[in-house]
Amino acid sequence: PEIWIYGLRNPWRFSFDRLTDDLWIGDVGQGAIEEIDWLPFDQAGGTNLGWRVFEGTQRHAEGTAENAVPPIYEYPHDGGRCSVTGGYVYRGGQIDGLDGAYLYGDFCDGVIRAIVLDGNEVTARRQFDVEVSALVAFGEDSRGELYALSLSGPVYRLTAIQ
C-alpha cells in the first residue's frame, strides 16, 4: 500500500550506490528529454519526480507536481540519443579515476558515459570511446566492477585500457 517514489515515466534501470545507498534512476523521456534522477538514501521516501507535468525540467503537461524534485542530469534527443539506460556508480578497483562516477548509456547510440557529483551538483561529465549496440542494461559484480549488456546478445566487461 506504500508508494516509495512517484512521478517517473519509464524508469529503465535503477541502482543503489554500494557505498552511500543513494538511489540512481535512468528515466526514459516521452519524446524530447532523457533524465537521470539521484536521491540521497535518507531523502528518497515519498519523493515526487514530476512526471507527467515535467519531462526532465521541461514542462510537458498542464497541472501541478507538488514538491517535484528535478533530475540531477538530463539530455536531449540529439546526436542519435533517444532512450537512457541507467547504470551504476563505479566502486570497483580496476579503473583508476572512475571511483564515484555514475555510468550510464543510451540505447540508440550505445555510448557509455559518466557523470560525477560534488554534493548535489554534476561537476564532471565523461564520454568513453566505447559503444555497445542496443545497450539495455548494466550489471555489477561482487567487487564493484561493471558490465554492459547488449540486446544483440553480448555481455561486455568494462576495463581500463592497458
mmCIF file of all heavy atoms in Angstrom, residues 127-144:
data_model
loop_
_atom_site.group_PDB
_atom_site.id
_atom_site.type_symbol
_atom_site.label_atom_id
_atom_site.label_comp_id
_atom_site.label_asym_id
_atom_site.label_seq_id
_atom_site.Cartn_x
_atom_site.Cartn_y
_atom_site.Cartn_z
ATOM 1 N N GLN A 127 32.654 10.991 -21.610
ATOM 2 C CA GLN A 127 32.138 10.104 -22.643
ATOM 3 C C GLN A 127 33.285 9.185 -23.025
ATOM 4 O O GLN A 127 34.402 9.650 -23.272
ATOM 5 C CB GLN A 127 31.674 10.913 -23.853
ATOM 6 C CG GLN A 127 31.170 10.060 -24.987
ATOM 7 C CD GLN A 127 30.556 10.873 -26.091
ATOM 8 O OE1 GLN A 127 29.712 11.720 -25.850
ATOM 9 N NE2 GLN A 127 30.978 10.613 -27.320
ATOM 10 N N PHE A 128 33.027 7.900 -23.077
ATOM 11 C CA PHE A 128 34.073 6.927 -23.350
ATOM 12 C C PHE A 128 34.022 6.498 -24.811
ATOM 13 O O PHE A 128 32.974 6.529 -25.445
ATOM 14 C CB PHE A 128 33.922 5.719 -22.420
ATOM 15 C CG PHE A 128 33.997 6.104 -20.969
ATOM 16 C CD1 PHE A 128 32.836 6.319 -20.237
ATOM 17 C CD2 PHE A 128 35.215 6.298 -20.347
ATOM 18 C CE1 PHE A 128 32.892 6.700 -18.914
ATOM 19 C CE2 PHE A 128 35.283 6.680 -19.022
ATOM 20 C CZ PHE A 128 34.118 6.890 -18.305
ATOM 21 N N ASP A 129 35.168 6.103 -25.333
ATOM 22 C CA ASP A 129 35.255 5.622 -26.712
ATOM 23 C C ASP A 129 34.825 4.160 -26.770
ATOM 24 O O ASP A 129 35.562 3.298 -27.242
ATOM 25 C CB ASP A 129 36.676 5.785 -27.246
ATOM 26 C CG ASP A 129 37.048 7.237 -27.452
ATOM 27 O OD1 ASP A 129 36.129 8.037 -27.719
ATOM 28 O OD2 ASP A 129 38.232 7.571 -27.348
ATOM 29 N N VAL A 130 33.635 3.909 -26.249
ATOM 30 C CA VAL A 130 33.075 2.561 -26.206
ATOM 31 C C VAL A 130 31.627 2.657 -26.655
ATOM 32 O O VAL A 130 30.898 3.535 -26.208
ATOM 33 C CB VAL A 130 33.120 2.000 -24.757
ATOM 34 C CG1 VAL A 130 32.414 0.666 -24.671
ATOM 35 C CG2 VAL A 130 34.540 1.905 -24.258
ATOM 36 N N GLU A 131 31.248 1.787 -27.555
ATOM 37 C CA GLU A 131 29.850 1.723 -27.971
ATOM 38 C C GLU A 131 29.357 0.295 -27.817
ATOM 39 O O GLU A 131 30.032 -0.647 -28.211
ATOM 40 C CB GLU A 131 29.692 2.166 -29.422
ATOM 41 C CG GLU A 131 29.860 3.651 -29.621
ATOM 42 C CD GLU A 131 29.576 4.088 -31.044
ATOM 43 O OE1 GLU A 131 28.841 3.373 -31.767
ATOM 44 O OE2 GLU A 131 30.093 5.143 -31.434
ATOM 45 N N VAL A 132 28.185 0.163 -27.224
ATOM 46 C CA VAL A 132 27.529 -1.133 -27.066
ATOM 47 C C VAL A 132 26.233 -1.056 -27.854
ATOM 48 O O VAL A 132 25.318 -0.322 -27.463
ATOM 49 C CB VAL A 132 27.268 -1.444 -25.577
ATOM 50 C CG1 VAL A 132 26.482 -2.737 -25.432
ATOM 51 C CG2 VAL A 132 28.576 -1.500 -24.802
ATOM 52 N N SER A 133 26.165 -1.775 -28.951
ATOM 53 C CA SER A 133 24.977 -1.754 -29.788
ATOM 54 C C SER A 133 23.765 -2.218 -28.987
ATOM 55 O O SER A 133 23.819 -3.227 -28.288
ATOM 56 C CB SER A 133 25.192 -2.683 -30.986
ATOM 57 O OG SER A 133 24.028 -2.752 -31.770
ATOM 58 N N ALA A 134 22.666 -1.450 -29.061
ATOM 59 C CA ALA A 134 21.415 -1.776 -28.367
ATOM 60 C C ALA A 134 21.661 -2.004 -26.872
ATOM 61 O O ALA A 134 21.264 -3.013 -26.302
ATOM 62 C CB ALA A 134 20.734 -2.978 -29.011
ATOM 63 N N LEU A 135 22.282 -1.038 -26.232
ATOM 64 C CA LEU A 135 22.617 -1.098 -24.796
ATOM 65 C C LEU A 135 21.339 -1.105 -23.957
ATOM 66 O O LEU A 135 20.589 -0.140 -23.954
ATOM 67 C CB LEU A 135 23.480 0.102 -24.417
ATOM 68 C CG LEU A 135 23.851 0.285 -22.961
ATOM 69 C CD1 LEU A 135 24.697 -0.886 -22.468
ATOM 70 C CD2 LEU A 135 24.599 1.596 -22.771
ATOM 71 N N VAL A 136 21.085 -2.217 -23.248
ATOM 72 C CA VAL A 136 19.840 -2.329 -22.491
ATOM 73 C C VAL A 136 20.031 -2.421 -20.985
ATOM 74 O O VAL A 136 19.073 -2.210 -20.236
ATOM 75 C CB VAL A 136 18.967 -3.520 -22.944
ATOM 76 C CG1 VAL A 136 18.437 -3.285 -24.339
ATOM 77 C CG2 VAL A 136 19.708 -4.820 -22.835
ATOM 78 N N ALA A 137 21.224 -2.738 -20.522
ATOM 79 C CA ALA A 137 21.404 -2.876 -19.076
ATOM 80 C C ALA A 137 22.882 -2.862 -18.714
ATOM 81 O O ALA A 137 23.748 -3.114 -19.554
ATOM 82 C CB ALA A 137 20.772 -4.172 -18.570
ATOM 83 N N PHE A 138 23.109 -2.562 -17.451
ATOM 84 C CA PHE A 138 24.436 -2.687 -16.847
ATOM 85 C C PHE A 138 24.321 -3.712 -15.729
ATOM 86 O O PHE A 138 23.235 -3.955 -15.204
ATOM 87 C CB PHE A 138 24.900 -1.347 -16.263
ATOM 88 C CG PHE A 138 25.276 -0.324 -17.284
ATOM 89 C CD1 PHE A 138 24.322 0.509 -17.830
ATOM 90 C CD2 PHE A 138 26.589 -0.190 -17.704
ATOM 91 C CE1 PHE A 138 24.656 1.466 -18.774
ATOM 92 C CE2 PHE A 138 26.945 0.761 -18.648
ATOM 93 C CZ PHE A 138 25.977 1.590 -19.185
ATOM 94 N N GLY A 139 25.432 -4.260 -15.350
ATOM 95 C CA GLY A 139 25.485 -5.170 -14.217
ATOM 96 C C GLY A 139 26.707 -4.862 -13.389
ATOM 97 O O GLY A 139 27.620 -4.159 -13.835
ATOM 98 N N GLU A 140 26.729 -5.390 -12.179
ATOM 99 C CA GLU A 140 27.821 -5.125 -11.244
ATOM 100 C C GLU A 140 28.173 -6.446 -10.559
ATOM 101 O O GLU A 140 27.287 -7.179 -10.129
ATOM 102 C CB GLU A 140 27.339 -4.093 -10.225
ATOM 103 C CG GLU A 140 28.355 -3.701 -9.195
ATOM 104 C CD GLU A 140 27.793 -2.710 -8.196
ATOM 105 O OE1 GLU A 140 26.651 -2.918 -7.710
ATOM 106 O OE2 GLU A 140 28.493 -1.746 -7.900
ATOM 107 N N ASP A 141 29.474 -6.746 -10.457
ATOM 108 C CA ASP A 141 29.852 -7.968 -9.761
ATOM 109 C C ASP A 141 30.136 -7.670 -8.289
ATOM 110 O O ASP A 141 29.980 -6.531 -7.826
ATOM 111 C CB ASP A 141 31.024 -8.676 -10.454
ATOM 112 C CG ASP A 141 32.351 -7.922 -10.412
ATOM 113 O OD1 ASP A 141 32.532 -7.032 -9.553
ATOM 114 O OD2 ASP A 141 33.220 -8.239 -11.248
ATOM 115 N N SER A 142 30.526 -8.679 -7.548
ATOM 116 C CA SER A 142 30.714 -8.539 -6.102
ATOM 117 C C SER A 142 31.858 -7.599 -5.738
ATOM 118 O O SER A 142 31.921 -7.115 -4.609
ATOM 119 C CB SER A 142 30.945 -9.908 -5.463
ATOM 120 O OG SER A 142 32.139 -10.485 -5.978
ATOM 121 N N ARG A 143 32.743 -7.304 -6.673
ATOM 122 C CA ARG A 143 33.869 -6.390 -6.430
ATOM 123 C C ARG A 143 33.588 -4.970 -6.919
ATOM 124 O O ARG A 143 34.447 -4.107 -6.858
ATOM 125 C CB ARG A 143 35.135 -6.940 -7.091
ATOM 126 C CG ARG A 143 35.592 -8.282 -6.514
ATOM 127 C CD ARG A 143 36.812 -8.832 -7.255
ATOM 128 N NE ARG A 143 36.646 -8.796 -8.703
ATOM 129 C CZ ARG A 143 36.160 -9.788 -9.451
ATOM 130 N NH1 ARG A 143 35.758 -10.890 -8.891
ATOM 131 N NH2 ARG A 143 36.065 -9.668 -10.757
ATOM 132 N N GLY A 144 32.382 -4.743 -7.455
ATOM 133 C CA GLY A 144 32.030 -3.412 -7.941
ATOM 134 C C GLY A 144 32.453 -3.136 -9.364
ATOM 135 O O GLY A 144 32.339 -2.005 -9.835
#
